[in-house]
Amino acid sequence: MISMIKFESKKIYLSKSWWVLCSLVLLFQPLLALMSAQQIANLGLTATPETHPELIQAIPPVDYLGFDAVLFGLLPMIVFGGIYGASEFSHHQLRTTLLCQNNREKVFFSKLLALLIATLWLGALAIYGTIEITHLGLQEQGLNALTLSSIAWKFIGYALIQWLFLTTLSFLIGHLFKNAIVPLAFLIPQVYNLGNYLDEKWPWGKYLPVAASNQLVATPTDSFSHQPIEGLVVLSLWVSVTVVLASYVFSKSDLGGNY
């Protein structure tokens, strides 16, 4: 199993999509955070839409600054998860994989664990780096960029959980349907406020995965409330049900000669 995880990890790190993802979340995302922090520093942390009409909402307390930029990285993470989940079913890669290891359950869970490990370290590095750059950009108005605060560290953990669960869910849906389009069509519109819109309009909207994940990272100035336990339970149910379905279908279905 360990050798299979190493094999799958190598496939991740040698793929072009992985390096595109790294450039977006490790370079472009912190750059966006720095630009946003400099604008906030110029306005002042006490700026409101009444005093500055260009603002849509009040600036969050200093402990929560930078997490709007972290949301940018969620999109490429979801895209990568879907692509990786469906990758075995293109260009006959599955044949090669099953020649190396014919136990389908081991193949499936080694891919899942390799993705979790890659997402964990990349997400932790990208999210912490983004928050650190934000407070460097705020200069004397920001927190200590190295130590931050207990609230900031807590929300770094919440953001990392959000990235882990939604990337994993995208992978599982892509693997289940053998196509990357399905998870992207399901999750990306939710990232672009559809999930929050449905949450506001219908009671069941909060049980959609992205709306549930937003409960983890909601700041005091957001329209939705911060309910991390409820969000974590809903996300866990989504991932648990999908992992059972995806592993069962992959283990029991006749793949034929298409893959």
Side-chain angles (χ1 to χ4, degrees), residues 36-102:
S36 176
Q38 290 173 340
Q39 291 177 345
I40 292 173
N42 291 332
L43 293 174
L45 297 183
T46 58
T48 64
E50 288 75 22
T51 59
H52 295 78
E54 65 271 24
L55 291 175
I56 299 175
Q57 62 183 25
I59 295 174
V62 66
D63 302 276
Y64 303 95
L65 291 176
F67 290 98
D68 54 342
V70 169
L71 184 61
F72 165 83
L74 183 61
L75 180 61
M77 293 298 296
I78 289 172
V79 172
F80 177 77
I83 291 173
Y84 178 59
S87 62
E88 288 288 353
F89 303 99
S90 60
H91 308 296
H92 299 290
Q93 291 187 42
L94 188 56
R95 269 185 216 174
T96 304
T97 301
L98 292 178
L99 283 173
C100 298
Q101 171 60 261
N102 60 7

Side-chain angles (χ1 to χ4, degrees), residues 52-186:
H52 295 78
E54 65 271 24
L55 291 175
I56 299 175
Q57 62 183 25
I59 295 174
V62 66
D63 302 276
Y64 303 95
L65 291 176
F67 290 98
D68 54 342
V70 169
L71 184 61
F72 165 83
L74 183 61
L75 180 61
M77 293 298 296
I78 289 172
V79 172
F80 177 77
I83 291 173
Y84 178 59
S87 62
E88 288 288 353
F89 303 99
S90 60
H91 308 296
H92 299 290
Q93 291 187 42
L94 188 56
R95 269 185 216 174
T96 304
T97 301
L98 292 178
L99 283 173
C100 298
Q101 171 60 261
N102 60 7
N103 187 317
R104 293 191 191 182
E105 289 186 357
K106 284 187 178 180
V107 170
F108 176 81
F109 284 104
S110 63
K111 289 178 69 69
L112 178 59
L113 289 172
L115 178 70
L116 287 173
I117 293 168
T119 304
L120 182 62
W121 74 258
L122 178 62
L125 189 61
I127 294 169
Y128 172 70
T130 298
I131 303 305
E132 183 181 29
I133 290 294
T134 296
H135 290 282
L136 286 173
L138 291 170
Q139 300 175 7
E140 68 277 359
Q141 298 182 65
L143 301 171
N144 183 301
L146 293 177
T147 59
L148 299 175
S149 69
S150 59
I151 293 176
W153 279 111
K154 187 183 296 184
F155 269 70
I156 287 173
Y158 288 145
L160 182 57
I161 292 171
Q162 182 187 40
W163 281 31
L164 279 169
F165 271 88
L166 292 182
T167 304
T168 302
L169 184 60
S170 182
F171 161 79
L172 293 170
I173 296 173
H175 199 279
L176 177 62
F177 288 94
K178 307 179 181 66
N179 193 312
I181 303 278
V182 179
L184 304 191
F186 177 58

Side-chain angles (χ1 to χ4, degrees), residues 209-225:
V210 175
S213 75
N214 286 338
Q215 294 182 44
L216 297 172
V217 294
T219 67
T221 55
D222 286 327
S223 59
F224 43 92
S225 59

Side-chain angles (χ1 to χ4, degrees), residues 190 192-202 205 208 211 224:
Q190 295 182 50
Y192 283 108
N193 291 325
L194 178 61
N196 292 331
Y197 173 80
L198 295 175
D199 184 11
E200 294 173 358
K201 295 296 182 182
W202 290 283
L208 290 170
F224 43 92

